[in-house]
Amino acid sequence: MDKFSEPSREFVSLISREVDFKDRLIGSNLHERAGVKTISLYSLHELYMLLSKPYPQIELQKLEVWIRTVIKDEELAARIKTISEQPGSDLEKLLHMRDLIGLRLIQCRAQDS
Amino acid sequence: MGDKTNKNVINKAGMTCSRRDFLKASGILVIGVGFGGCTIIDPVPASKGYLLVDTKKCQGCLTCMLACSLVHEGFESLSLARIQVVQNPFQGFPADINIAQCRQCVEPACVAVCPVKALHVDRWHGNVRTVNTRKCIGCKACIAACPFPPGRPIWNFQENHSQKCDLCASSGFWNEKGGPGGKQACVSVCPMKAIQFTDQIPVQTGTEGYNVNLRDESWGLLGYTTE
Amino acid sequence: MNGYTGKILRINLTTRVVSSLNTADYEQWGGGHGIGSAVFWDLVPDKTISGFDPANVVTIMTSPLTGTMSVAAGARTEIQGIGVQSYPFEWFTRSGLGGRFGSMLKFAGWDGIAIEGKADSPVWVDIRDGEVQIKDAGTLWGLDTRQTQENIWQEVGGKYGYGSWVTVGPSEALQRSTQRPAVLCIGPAGENLCRVASLIHDAGNGAGQGGFGGVWGSKNLKAVSVIGTGNIPVADPKALIEARLWAIENFISPLDEFDASKSVFATMPSNLRSFPAPLVTWKRSEQSRPQSCTGCQAGCRSRFDTALGNESSCKESYYYTPSWLVKDYVPSSDGPDPQALAADLAQKYGINVAEPETGILYLRDLNKLGVLGPGKQIDCDLPFDKLGHVEFIERLLEMIAYRQGIGDDMAEGFYRAAARWGRLDEDQKTGLLNNCYWGLTMHYDPRGSLEWGYGTILGDRDINEHGFCPLYMIPTMTAKNPPLSAEDFVQLFSERMPPFQDDPLMLDYSDGNMYSEHICKLVAWHRHYGRFWIQSALFCDFQYPDFFNWAAQGYKGITGEGEPKFFNAVTGKNLSFAEGIEIGRKIWNLDHAIWTLQGRHRNDVKFADYIYDIPNEVKFTMPVNNNGQWEYAAVGGRKVDRAQFEEFKTRYYELEGWDPETGWPKRSTLEDLGLGNVADELDSKGRLGKE
């Protein structure tokens, strides 16, 4: 996987912040017994945690738009878009996106420490 | 006259124990016959079958108890089941479950105390220690004699006799042949395979001979301890 | 009467009179729910009373299979009465639990219990075989459910110590048991009349829905304890154990054939063994065991070395969503796992976790919105900085159980809380308050899971019947490699749905079929099957209906053949699968008559606004019929259309033989079912449907 460009401290602060209520992203967690749990996501970290569940469901385009316009990570959003345009199931794509987001979060942590 | 109660016995397993020591440890009431109040216990042949359990594998469903009562009595009962599973839902694993299966003791205290030999060694069925319910006079000495709580002989308060695990030798309510040469209902139905039949005599002292590890690699793959 | 004990215990808490009913008078209803509804009909003349009214009767019913080794059918107990959780009507409703209460009740000689009235001070009921005493509960009142049960165990058998034989009844009879009494009780939440209070048994068995914990609290009833030494007669013991062995051989995965690729399906209603992989979502220590209800093979719960969260599973184990969402979850060596603690506390307080499951997410959103929190419009001292940690859930549950601060609102359920906060209309329009049917929290979405949503709104509560979940879960979770073709998969279900077995279109959830007569049949079948085989014969919903089974030949599960095999082996009857479903239809009609008397009209049968106005985002991969060809396709991303749903209701009522104008039962339908007396009652109240 190609590396992300090195983020500045300010950029890390921006993309790892918690967003306001009106800017939240709605995702769902599918559990074989629990049914569908609808969850508001307020940060990139929370998005990653949902995508780490076995059967997350988020509308792919909404996810991409959210990362671009709310989180304001254009580079990550572009990569997300590329993945969503590839063949495969939505679940496979979400797992791929999760890995990408995870890499970004690791970068953020490295900057913080 | 010699004190036969001090005579050491070498049993089939090659184990030795003093009869006096055994009787003392068991707290058995020795029924006086003959020599100054001490019983001469004739050596009895060892059972050809034993139940081993793994209390760490048991899921506490009591299916063994339901199967036992069903095949012996023809109805479901917990109180008349000849294997008992005792559990405390609030306790931590592994102390939350205890399984009390009959040990088919090499030197059965229950057989020793029965005044009418109703509780006897059934030589026709692999030497299982079992109750001839027609002979039983309901003295309950066998129930008091069992050194392993909860006592393994059961008091059948409906028919006023005792009864106990016979490895399904007398199980009339299923299509399998029971006894040491056949099948045991509890073994057949246990969903976790936490009960196993063996023809090898377990270590007679303590519980390690009868509470064994039946968990293999596949159990570990399910995320449970195999120790 | 094989399978039955012959007597139902009747307790009047007002007069403290203990009597009994004859089970034979109710045997036609099968057991469980059927008997419970019939007893309720007889004992409660005025069906319009509140659930908190002393005249409300709570029934606790077993089935002939309870206490037997029928596969996944030996342990359930059905609880019924007027509930206090649903809105705007406090529907006559049901809940259920597993464990060992029902079986112990049978061994004590009772098929069930009917409790009416209100004691003048806190009491508990001590049942020891045929001896029943109503005792003062002064020292128990205020205790959590664990303390309550341990105290009762001590009183009933403590002097013997558990681990020895305990004598039950007169000592000379030597009727003994090694078992602890089975206790069903309430915690502080029930004592404080919370509408979200549950009944709890042992460490993790709960009857959550309906608020029966609050109903018991209103009756000053703390606990019912039972210890039994008796028998359950079985008509054909050989047939019963043969049936068990047949099920083991053909429908249950061998323990040592663990297939990691199938582990994700371990907890699905898709084979009779859910592997001993309990539905526990916190990181489970290997120092644990699977644990099952009486006679069951599934091992769907656990006990742990710490004992924290013992026997909790499913929703109790994952309702505290923020614990994995808001931080990287790593088991802390410093304290308890928040999810395990959340489960444990909910059991001890006796709180129905379905409410805080969506409620916590709602509180979080309101806090983010800036309207709820310290000093906010909805003022509360919840530590949102500790959301996801133990401190938050400890405080939240304490607030609810003791009605502290806004806990007094939340104790009414989050729907009523939202109303008190002035947010109901707005949050039901947007779906921020995710309670979509009868004021209850969404479990499965009506926009996607049609049988679930429709069945719920046409009934009284979240149906919580997972029988058709494999229809959408298995293709979704095996999208790249489904085990069967769409057509074959559908047939596994439809061929065992009498009397509609010739209409596989029942199982096409696509947009064009959402409101069709085919879906009407699906919903009707599900209600009828559930009312008898699940809720009356008490086959556990976790395992039945078993349409699709990974372990079975051709994946064909035990349903259709298994249920009557066990039922008839125990009872000696010759009931067919289809006949059982027909009894279920009768029970469903009786329930619907009760709701009609409670005031139901078809105009009340509607979802929250957001179900009609906002499309859901979840899509399932499901079999759909495309011009006669079955294929797998994505289904979802849609709304329920108001007008078309009204048309669906009309079709549904016609299928059931109810008046489509009102939704009320017709005399002809009721009389055909032998419920002429029910028709008379409806007629006298002016609520009989027109022919």
Side-chain angles (χ1 to χ4, degrees):
Chain A
M1 207 177 282
D2 291 340
K3 279 187 178 179
F4 285 105
S5 56
E6 204 59 34
S8 66
R9 278 196 182 280
E10 291 76 22
F11 188 68
V12 164
S13 273
L14 176 69
I15 66 172
S16 52
R17 78 193 189 286
E18 275 196 15
V19 305
D20 293 337
F21 173 81
K22 63 176 173 44
D23 290 327
R24 71 197 193 285
L25 175 67
I26 308 289
S28 299
N29 181 32
L30 186 65
H31 192 288
E32 58 269 18
R33 285 263 170 202
V36 178
K37 195 182 293 209
T38 303
I39 302 171
S40 299
L41 305 169
Y42 290 95
S43 69
L44 201 59
H45 172 87
E46 290 184 4
L47 170 60
Y48 174 79
M49 294 306 290
L50 176 64
L51 295 180
S52 299
K53 286 296 187 182
Y55 294 99
Q57 287 223 6
I58 302 181
E59 210 277 319
L60 297 183
Q61 202 199 3
K62 272 192 183 174
L63 190 160
E64 179 220 323
V65 167
W66 187 73
I67 290 179
R68 176 173 290 112
T69 63
V70 174
I71 299 298
K72 300 196 191 303
D73 189 335
E74 183 63 49
E75 190 178 359
L76 178 59
R79 297 257 188 107
I80 296 278
K81 187 168 193 289
T82 304
I83 293 169
S84 67
E85 288 166 350
Q86 287 165 0
S89 70
D90 280 9
L91 181 61
E92 286 170 329
K93 293 174 190 178
L94 284 174
L95 295 179
H96 196 171
M97 293 173 189
R98 176 204 63 192
D99 293 342
L100 209 57
I101 293 167
L103 280 176
R104 190 52 130 180
L105 288 171
I106 289 171
Q107 266 194 329
C108 291
R109 282 197 196 154
Q111 262 289 8
D112 272 347
S113 56
Chain B
M1 67 195 75
D3 182 358
K4 292 191 179 176
T5 58
N6 272 334
K7 187 174 178 181
N8 282 344
V9 172
I10 299 174
N11 65 16
K12 282 191 176 175
M15 297 157 33
T16 63
C17 66
S18 146
R19 285 192 185 282
R20 171 175 283 176
D21 288 344
F22 178 81
L23 292 173
K24 266 193 199 168
S26 311
I28 294 171
L29 177 67
V30 178
I31 297 173
V33 174
F35 302 88
C38 296
T39 300
I40 305 303
I41 301 172
D42 293 329
V44 296
S47 173
K48 292 184 180 172
Y50 305 84
L51 292 179
L52 307 178
V53 299
D54 185 347
T55 54
K56 286 188 176 179
K57 210 182 185 197
C58 174
Q59 60 163 6
C61 62
L62 314 187
T63 307
C64 51
M65 296 172 68
L66 299 177
C68 178
S69 54
L70 187 75
V71 301
H72 282 94
E73 321 297 332
F75 50 74
E76 301 284 23
S77 165
L78 296 183
S79 292
L80 300 185
R82 302 159 195 224
I83 181 169
Q84 292 285 320
V85 176
V86 185
Q87 53 189 324
N88 182 347
F90 296 118
Q91 198 153 6
F93 167 89
D96 57 311
I97 286 185
N98 181 37
I99 306 176
Q101 82 276 31
C102 174
R103 295 162 61 113
Q104 300 292 337
C105 295
V106 169
E107 295 188 344
C110 54
V111 170
V113 301
C114 182
V116 296
K117 293 186 171 38
L119 211 161
H120 66 290
V121 171
D122 185 349
R123 286 166 166 80
W124 291 107
H125 292 104
N127 301 327
V128 291
R129 286 80 168 104
T130 188
V131 178
N132 181 332
T133 57
R134 286 189 300 258
K135 276 189 172 182
C136 177
I137 59 172
C139 70
K140 307 186 185 74
C142 56
I143 289 166
C146 181
F148 305 106
R152 312 300 146 100
I154 311 287
W155 177 247
N156 188 324
F157 56 88
Q158 298 170 23
E159 296 178 353
N160 289 318
H161 60 73
S162 71
Q163 60 192 44
K164 64 178 294 301
C165 173
D166 57 3
L167 299 176
C168 280
S170 68
S171 55
F173 291 99
W174 65 330
N175 293 325
E176 302 289 342
K177 176 175 166 294
K183 290 189 176 180
Q184 292 69 47
C186 57
V187 174
S188 298
V189 302
C190 178
M192 296 295 152
K193 298 284 180 264
I195 310 175
Q196 188 179 86
F197 172 87
T198 182
D199 60 5
Q200 302 297 303
I201 303 174
V203 169
Q204 291 294 293
T205 51
T207 58
E208 292 74 25
Y210 288 89
N211 188 1
V212 301
N213 188 339
L214 299 176
R215 287 155 285 133
D216 59 11
E217 191 184 298
S218 61
W219 191 255
L221 286 173
L222 293 166
Y224 299 105
T225 178
T226 53
E227 289 171 11
Chain C
M1 291 179 75
N2 288 298
Y4 303 92
T5 68
K7 292 188 300 180
I8 297 167
L9 179 60
R10 183 176 179 181
I11 298 174
N12 187 318
L13 294 174
T14 306
T15 61
R16 303 209 181 193
V17 168
V18 173
S19 59
S20 64
L21 304 168
N22 290 321
T23 307
D25 295 340
Y26 297 95
E27 192 184 347
Q28 56 160 309
W29 298 95
H33 190 105
I35 293 184
S37 293
V39 166
F40 178 88
W41 178 270
D42 288 345
L43 299 190
V44 183
D46 180 3
K47 274 59 166 184
T48 66
I49 58 175
S50 164
F52 289 125
D53 191 307
N56 185 15
V57 169
V58 176
T59 59
I60 303 169
M61 287 297 161
T62 70
S63 92
L65 305 186
T66 310
T68 74
M69 44 186 291
S70 304
V71 167
R76 302 289 301 175
T77 311
E78 185 83 349
I79 312 289
Q80 289 165 268
I82 297 174
V84 294
Q85 189 189 0
S86 58
Y87 185 94
F89 294 92
E90 290 180 350
W91 289 128
F92 170 67
T93 191
R94 59 162 299 275
S95 189
L97 71 152
R100 54 192 189 94
F101 184 87
S103 54
M104 190 61 84
L105 191 62
K106 291 280 290 288
F107 290 124
W110 304 101
D111 288 315
I113 310 175
I115 303 171
E116 62 202 286
K118 173 181 177 172
D120 55 4
S121 61
V123 297
W124 66 285
V125 180
D126 184 356
I127 304 170
R128 307 186 198 195
D129 285 330
E131 292 299 311
V132 181
Q133 295 183 66
I134 300 174
K135 293 182 169 175
D136 174 66
T139 54
L140 299 177
W141 203 259
L143 299 183
D144 69 31
T145 59
R146 172 174 176 167
Q147 294 163 333
T148 300
Q149 293 180 82
E150 288 179 327
N151 272 262
I152 289 175
W153 292 344
Q154 186 65 28
E155 170 153 345
V156 174
K159 65 178 187 240
Y160 299 99
Y162 290 103
S164 297
W165 288 93
V166 172
T167 298
V168 178
S171 57
E172 61 275 10
L174 214 57
Q175 286 171 233
R176 309 188 305 166
S177 176
T178 61
Q179 307 295 297
R180 284 169 169 76
V183 181
L184 186 60
C185 63
I186 61 174
E191 293 174 3
N192 291 310
L193 310 187
C194 296
R195 292 182 184 266
V196 300
S198 48
L199 302 176
I200 300 293
H201 155 57
D202 278 349
N205 303 285
Q209 290 292 317
F212 287 109
V215 173
W216 277 32
S218 74
K219 293 183 176 304
N220 273 328
L221 177 60
K222 178 67 175 173
V224 176
S225 167
V226 59
I227 179 86
T229 64
N231 315 331
I232 299 170
V234 172
D236 191 341
K238 281 191 183 181
L240 176 57
I241 189 163
E242 279 303 305
R244 179 87 188 212
L245 295 172
W246 165 78
I248 292 170
E249 175 71 26
N250 294 291
F251 301 101
I252 297 178
S253 304
L255 198 58
D256 53 2
E257 289 181 18
F258 178 69
D259 181 346
S261 69
K262 299 249 174 29
S263 66
V264 70
F265 305 110
T267 57
M268 293 184 61
S270 58
N271 65 7
L272 289 188
R273 169 181 299 292
S274 68
F275 294 105
L279 233 186
V280 170
T281 50
W282 64 77
K283 188 165 166 52
R284 174 168 59 84
S285 162
E286 64 171 26
Q287 293 300 326
S288 60
R289 70 166 85 251
Q291 200 274 332
S292 263
C293 302
T294 303
C296 187
Q297 81 300 333
C300 72
R301 309 98 62 81
S302 259
R303 293 212 191 107
F304 311 94
D305 54 344
T306 61
L308 189 70
N310 267 5
E311 299 180 356
S312 287
S313 68
C314 206
K315 273 197 191 292
E316 302 102 64
S317 85
Y318 51 64
Y319 79 94
Y320 191 31
T321 306
S323 64
W324 58 262
L325 183 67
V326 301
K327 63 181 180 67
D328 290 333
Y329 180 67
V330 176
S332 168
S333 57
D334 296 335
D337 181 316
Q339 285 181 301
L341 182 72
D344 211 66
L345 283 176
Q347 308 286 21
K348 286 182 177 156
Y349 281 127
I351 291 173
N352 173 9
V353 299
E355 282 281 336
E357 185 186 15
T358 48
I360 288 171
L361 296 175
Y362 183 50
L363 292 172
R364 175 171 170 256
D365 283 340
L366 292 181
N367 177 253
K368 292 287 191 188
L369 184 54
V371 302
L372 184 146
K376 301 292 183 186
Q377 181 190 336
I378 307 166
D379 189 11
C380 73
D381 64 355
L382 277 168
F384 281 95
D385 59 325
K386 292 292 186 188
L387 185 63
H389 299 257
V390 301
E391 291 89 341
F392 184 90
I393 196 64
E394 281 176 330
R395 183 67 189 124
L396 176 68
L397 295 181
E398 181 185 40
M399 286 171 76
I400 293 174
Y402 293 103
R403 292 182 170 269
Q404 296 168 346
I406 65 166
D408 185 55
D409 304 322
M410 296 187 284
E412 295 290 296
F414 280 88
Y415 190 92
R416 290 182 173 85
R420 286 186 177 187
W421 298 338
R423 295 204 56 90
L424 184 64
D425 286 348
E426 179 182 344
D427 293 345
Q428 284 276 274
K429 282 190 164 52
T430 62
L432 193 67
L433 176 66
N434 199 8
N435 292 33
C436 62
Y437 22 52
W438 301 122
L440 305 173
T441 64
M442 182 193 284
H443 190 163
Y444 277 83
D445 196 322
R447 295 167 289 192
S449 304
L450 302 179
E451 94 290 356
W452 195 291
Y454 293 178
T456 292
I457 204 64
L458 289 162
D460 54 303
R461 53 153 284 173
D462 165 16
I463 59 172
N464 204 33
E465 293 165 55
H466 297 76
F468 290 97
C469 293
L471 188 70
Y472 32 96
M473 291 296 195
I474 288 179
T476 300
M477 292 176 174
T478 60
K480 288 195 84 169
N481 194 20
L484 291 170
S485 71
E487 183 165 5
D488 289 345
F489 189 57
V490 163
Q491 193 176 353
L492 273 188
F493 291 78
S494 63
E495 67 187 8
R496 282 171 292 167
M497 294 174 64
F500 308 125
Q501 65 275 3
D502 296 326
D503 188 359
L505 288 176
M506 294 183 283
L507 300 159
D508 177 4
Y509 284 36
S510 61
D511 295 7
N513 201 40
M514 275 172 79
Y515 312 98
S516 69
E517 190 174 330
H518 309 289
I519 298 296
C520 290
K521 291 177 188 172
L522 166 70
V523 174
W525 187 91
H526 200 200
R527 298 300 84 237
H528 304 163
Y529 170 89
R531 271 305 188 259
F532 183 75
W533 289 112
I534 302 293
Q535 289 146 20
S536 297
L538 294 177
F539 285 86
C540 182
D541 168 71
F542 195 83
Q543 308 280 272
Y544 293 89
D546 182 44
F547 286 118
F548 175 91
N549 186 318
W550 287 106
Q553 180 81 13
Y555 302 116
K556 183 174 173 178
I558 204 174
T559 272
E561 192 178 358
E563 293 95 332
K565 194 184 275 273
F566 288 108
F567 190 84
N568 294 330
V570 172
T571 61
K573 297 182 185 189
N574 192 21
L575 188 74
S576 73
F577 183 60
E579 286 166 344
I581 292 167
E582 180 63 7
I583 298 174
R585 185 170 79 90
K586 181 173 178 175
I587 298 167
W588 181 244
N589 270 267
L590 178 59
D591 285 351
H592 187 66
I594 295 170
W595 300 326
T596 301
L597 288 168
Q598 286 190 288
R600 181 182 291 229
H601 185 281
R602 71 168 282 162
N603 294 343
D604 302 309
V605 178
K606 57 189 179 191
F607 298 109
D609 285 339
Y610 69 101
I611 299 298
Y612 302 109
D613 299 328
I614 300 176
N616 70 327
E617 298 198 357
V618 169
K619 291 186 181 168
F620 291 117
T621 302
M622 290 190 69
V624 300
N625 190 285
N626 200 351
N627 293 319
Q629 293 298 315
W630 285 96
E631 60 190 26
Y632 287 114
V635 175
R638 62 192 181 187
K639 306 177 273 193
V640 172
D641 182 275
R642 275 191 172 85
Q644 291 192 74
F645 185 63
E646 289 302 311
E647 291 169 14
F648 168 83
K649 278 158 59 180
T650 298
R651 291 187 193 103
Y652 179 79
Y653 292 143
E654 285 170 349
L655 180 67
E656 290 283 12
W658 302 341
D659 177 4
E661 193 180 309
T662 55
W664 297 344
K666 294 181 189 173
R667 177 175 287 280
S668 56
T669 301
L670 292 172
E671 285 183 347
D672 279 348
L673 290 166
L675 297 175
N677 61 319
V678 173
D680 293 339
E681 175 76 11
L682 288 166
D683 201 1
S684 73
K685 298 289 193 290
R687 301 190 76 85
L688 191 60
K690 292 190 205 129
E691 295 292 337

